[in-house]
Amino acid sequence: MICPIVKLTQKLISCPSVSPDDFGCQKILMRKLLKLGFTIRKINIKDTKNFWAYKGFGDIFTFLGHTDVVPAGNINLWKYPPFQGFIKDNIIYGRGSADMKGALSAMVIAIERFLLLFPDHKGVLSFLVTSDEESKGTNGIEKVVKKLLLNNEKIKYCLVGEPTSCNRIGDIIKNGRRGSLNVKIILYGIQGHIAYPDLLHNPIHSSLPFLHDLISIQWDKGNDFFDPTSLQISSLKVDNESTNVTSGKLEVFFNLRFNNEITIEGIKNRIFSLLNFHKLRYFVEWNCSGKPFLTKSGKLLDKTINSIYKIKKKYPKLSTSGGTSDGRFVSQYMGSQVVELGLKNINIHKINENIKISDLQCLSKIYETILIEMLT
């Protein structure tokens, strides 16, 4: 008989839910939760599918996840079809297997097993799912969280199923994330013939001292929970490809991953001061996709650590590294305790993304143990 976690994971992988298209994944999950006695509320917003499922009374414990995946890329490079959930040597292959359809399946089966043992559990057991986490996230968790608050539904504990593990399941959990600030700067010059440098102003040349100073800034030293703030230039663009003409402008794109030692205003002021110091003509666009958040301590963090130890006999390492996650919205708007725990991240978003069945089963057992620790 096929393992129920494997069966559910295969069903979800078979839905080509490239963000923000859910492609039927949430219907599969909602059918399972309805049978378990959950009340379900769809909160679909434009092109994005979202749902909120809950059961019980009291403090709200929430599993948070997403059904969308990144594109499969060149399917001819895959060993097996990316949207089939093919099993070979006890490994499930497929886009989204690790990020994060496997974790969603582990959550659902953990809930199913928990409710068989504790049908009259304490508190509210809930599930919050979106189909737009991998792309812009415009109509996903951030807007849903705001709607929940309007209905006086405030999550106290939030467990996110992002793939945090590295070498073994539960070796690393996230108790926070850095903020992310995207910046676009347009530096203006004067276009001209390359043979007449006295008649032009080359924005590439004039930008070099500024760019050197920009990437040399030590923003902060970090702290016990966060690495130092870092900046990476992602792209430099000019509006001409001719070899005998200089461009009239240079577009610089960069990103800062920042911690709680610095503010967005502090970053902006530092960059404006540097631009003015170098006497550049400029225009700046700022886009903060997430502020840093941190769960220093609390019941959820303690119970998650204890549950991992019970199953794995080893304690996890706490980390705030990596990209952003939807947990930031729950923390920012609700002040919730947020912890992230999921499958291994070694091949997420890659060709031949896959998970071991044994890892999937282990994660579900840890989730079930967390539920027992939190709700009984």
Side-chain angles (χ1 to χ4, degrees), residues 186-190 200-213 247-250 252 274-275 277-281:
I186 303 176
L187 299 173
Y188 296 102
I190 299 174
L200 56 85
H201 179 81
N202 190 329
I204 298 176
H205 290 184
S206 61
S207 74
L208 294 179
F210 162 74
L211 294 176
H212 175 269
D213 289 349
S247 176
K249 66 179 182 179
L250 170 68
V252 183
L274 195 59
L275 287 164
F277 174 79
H278 287 282
K279 296 181 172 57
L280 298 171
R281 291 194 302 123

Coordinates of all heavy atoms in Angstrom, one line a residue, residues 186-190 200-213 247-250 252 274-275 277-281:
I186 N 19.3 55.5 -11.8 CA 19.6 56.0 -13.2 C 20.6 57.2 -13.0 O 20.3 58.1 -12.4 CB 18.3 56.5 -13.9 CG1 17.3 55.4 -14.0 CG2 18.7 57.0 -15.3 CD1 16.0 55.8 -14.7
L187 N 21.8 57.0 -13.6 CA 22.8 58.0 -13.6 C 22.8 58.7 -15.0 O 23.0 58.0 -16.0 CB 24.1 57.4 -13.3 CG 24.2 56.7 -11.9 CD1 25.5 56.0 -11.7 CD2 24.0 57.8 -10.8
Y188 N 22.7 60.0 -15.1 CA 22.6 60.7 -16.3 C 23.9 61.3 -16.8 O 24.7 61.7 -16.0 CB 21.5 61.8 -16.2 CG 20.1 61.3 -15.9 CD1 19.6 61.4 -14.6 CD2 19.4 60.7 -16.9 CE1 18.3 60.9 -14.3 CE2 18.1 60.3 -16.7 CZ 17.6 60.3 -15.4 OH 16.3 59.9 -15.1
G189 N 24.1 61.2 -18.1 CA 25.2 61.9 -18.7 C 24.8 62.6 -20.0 O 23.6 63.0 -20.1
I190 N 25.7 62.8 -20.9 CA 25.4 63.4 -22.2 C 25.9 62.4 -23.3 O 27.1 62.1 -23.4 CB 26.1 64.8 -22.4 CG1 25.6 65.7 -21.3 CG2 25.8 65.4 -23.7 CD1 26.3 67.1 -21.3
L200 N 31.0 65.2 -24.7 CA 30.0 64.2 -24.1 C 30.3 64.1 -22.6 O 31.3 64.6 -22.1 CB 30.1 62.9 -24.8 CG 31.5 62.2 -24.8 CD1 31.8 61.4 -23.6 CD2 31.6 61.3 -26.1
H201 N 29.4 63.4 -21.9 CA 29.7 63.1 -20.5 C 29.3 61.6 -20.4 O 28.1 61.3 -20.4 CB 28.8 64.0 -19.6 CG 29.0 63.6 -18.1 ND1 30.0 64.1 -17.4 CD2 28.2 62.9 -17.3 CE1 29.9 63.6 -16.2 NE2 28.8 62.9 -16.1
N202 N 30.3 60.8 -20.2 CA 30.1 59.3 -20.1 C 29.6 58.9 -18.7 O 30.4 58.9 -17.8 CB 31.4 58.6 -20.5 CG 31.2 57.1 -20.7 OD1 30.3 56.5 -20.1 ND2 32.0 56.6 -21.6
P203 N 28.4 58.5 -18.6 CA 27.9 58.1 -17.2 C 28.5 56.9 -16.7 O 28.5 56.7 -15.5 CB 26.4 58.0 -17.4 CG 26.2 57.6 -18.9 CD 27.3 58.3 -19.6
I204 N 29.1 56.0 -17.6 CA 29.8 54.8 -17.1 C 31.0 55.2 -16.4 O 31.3 54.8 -15.2 CB 30.1 53.9 -18.3 CG1 28.8 53.4 -18.9 CG2 30.9 52.7 -17.8 CD1 29.0 52.5 -20.2
H205 N 31.8 56.1 -17.0 CA 33.0 56.6 -16.4 C 32.8 57.3 -15.0 O 33.4 57.0 -14.0 CB 33.8 57.5 -17.3 CG 34.4 56.8 -18.5 ND1 35.2 57.5 -19.4 CD2 34.3 55.5 -18.9 CE1 35.5 56.6 -20.4 NE2 35.0 55.4 -20.1
S206 N 31.8 58.2 -15.0 CA 31.6 59.0 -13.8 C 31.0 58.2 -12.7 O 31.0 58.6 -11.5 CB 30.6 60.2 -14.2 OG 29.4 59.7 -14.6
S207 N 30.4 57.0 -13.1 CA 29.8 56.1 -12.0 C 30.8 55.3 -11.3 O 30.5 54.8 -10.2 CB 28.7 55.2 -12.7 OG 29.4 54.2 -13.4
L208 N 32.0 55.1 -11.9 CA 32.9 54.1 -11.3 C 33.4 54.4 -9.9 O 33.4 53.5 -9.0 CB 34.1 53.9 -12.3 CG 33.7 53.3 -13.6 CD1 35.0 53.1 -14.5 CD2 33.1 51.9 -13.4
P209 N 33.7 55.7 -9.6 CA 34.1 56.0 -8.2 C 33.0 55.8 -7.3 O 33.1 55.3 -6.1 CB 34.5 57.4 -8.3 CG 34.9 57.7 -9.7 CD 34.0 56.8 -10.5
F210 N 31.7 56.1 -7.7 CA 30.6 55.9 -6.8 C 30.3 54.5 -6.6 O 30.1 54.0 -5.4 CB 29.3 56.6 -7.5 CG 28.0 56.1 -7.0 CD1 27.6 56.5 -5.7 CD2 27.2 55.2 -7.7 CE1 26.4 56.0 -5.2 CE2 26.0 54.7 -7.2 CZ 25.6 55.1 -5.9
L211 N 30.4 53.7 -7.6 CA 30.1 52.2 -7.5 C 31.2 51.6 -6.6 O 30.9 50.7 -5.8 CB 30.1 51.5 -8.9 CG 28.9 51.9 -9.8 CD1 29.0 51.3 -11.1 CD2 27.6 51.6 -9.1
H212 N 32.4 52.0 -6.8 CA 33.5 51.5 -5.9 C 33.2 51.8 -4.4 O 33.3 50.9 -3.6 CB 34.8 52.1 -6.3 CG 36.0 51.7 -5.4 ND1 36.3 52.4 -4.3 CD2 36.8 50.6 -5.4 CE1 37.3 51.8 -3.7 NE2 37.6 50.7 -4.3
D213 N 32.8 53.0 -4.1 CA 32.5 53.4 -2.8 C 31.3 52.7 -2.3 O 31.2 52.3 -1.1 CB 32.3 54.9 -2.7 CG 33.6 55.6 -2.8 OD1 34.7 55.0 -2.8 OD2 33.6 56.9 -3.0
S247 N 26.6 56.2 -24.1 CA 25.2 56.3 -23.7 C 24.9 57.6 -22.9 O 25.8 58.2 -22.3 CB 24.9 55.1 -22.8 OG 23.6 55.2 -22.3
G248 N 23.7 58.0 -22.9 CA 23.3 59.2 -22.2 C 22.8 58.9 -20.7 O 22.6 59.8 -19.9
K249 N 22.7 57.6 -20.4 CA 22.4 57.2 -19.1 C 22.8 55.8 -18.8 O 23.0 55.0 -19.7 CB 20.9 57.3 -18.8 CG 20.0 56.4 -19.6 CD 18.5 56.5 -19.3 CE 17.7 55.5 -20.0 NZ 16.2 55.7 -19.7
L250 N 23.0 55.5 -17.5 CA 23.4 54.2 -17.0 C 22.4 53.8 -15.9 O 22.2 54.6 -15.0 CB 24.8 54.2 -16.4 CG 25.3 53.0 -15.7 CD1 25.4 51.8 -16.6 CD2 26.6 53.2 -14.9
V252 N 21.6 51.3 -12.9 CA 22.3 50.4 -11.9 C 21.2 49.7 -11.1 O 20.4 50.4 -10.5 CB 23.3 51.2 -11.0 CG1 24.0 50.2 -10.1 CG2 24.3 52.0 -11.9
L274 N 26.1 59.6 -0.7 CA 27.2 59.1 -1.6 C 27.0 59.7 -3.0 O 28.0 60.1 -3.7 CB 27.3 57.6 -1.6 CG 28.5 57.0 -2.2 CD1 29.8 57.4 -1.4 CD2 28.4 55.4 -2.1
L275 N 25.8 59.6 -3.5 CA 25.5 60.2 -4.8 C 25.8 61.7 -4.9 O 26.4 62.1 -5.9 CB 24.0 59.9 -5.2 CG 23.6 58.5 -5.5 CD1 22.1 58.3 -5.4 CD2 24.1 58.1 -6.9
F277 N 27.9 63.3 -2.9 CA 29.3 63.5 -2.7 C 30.0 63.4 -4.1 O 31.0 64.1 -4.3 CB 29.8 62.4 -1.8 CG 31.3 62.5 -1.6 CD1 32.0 63.4 -0.8 CD2 32.1 61.5 -2.3 CE1 33.3 63.4 -0.7 CE2 33.5 61.5 -2.2 CZ 34.1 62.5 -1.4
H278 N 29.6 62.5 -4.9 CA 30.2 62.3 -6.2 C 29.6 63.2 -7.3 O 30.0 63.1 -8.5 CB 30.1 60.8 -6.7 CG 31.0 59.9 -5.9 ND1 32.4 59.8 -6.2 CD2 30.8 59.1 -4.9 CE1 32.9 59.0 -5.3 NE2 32.0 58.5 -4.5
K279 N 28.7 64.1 -6.9 CA 28.1 65.1 -7.8 C 27.5 64.5 -9.1 O 27.8 65.0 -10.2 CB 29.2 66.2 -8.2 CG 29.7 67.0 -7.0 CD 30.8 68.0 -7.4 CE 31.1 68.9 -6.3 NZ 31.7 68.3 -5.1
L280 N 26.7 63.5 -8.9 CA 26.1 62.8 -10.0 C 24.7 63.3 -10.1 O 24.0 63.7 -9.2 CB 26.1 61.3 -9.7 CG 27.4 60.6 -9.6 CD1 27.3 59.2 -9.1 CD2 28.2 60.6 -10.9
R281 N 24.2 63.3 -11.4 CA 22.8 63.5 -11.7 C 22.1 62.2 -11.7 O 22.5 61.3 -12.4 CB 22.6 64.2 -13.0 CG 23.1 65.7 -13.0 CD 22.6 66.5 -14.2 NE 23.0 65.8 -15.5 CZ 22.1 65.5 -16.4 NH1 20.8 65.6 -16.2 NH2 22.6 64.9 -17.5

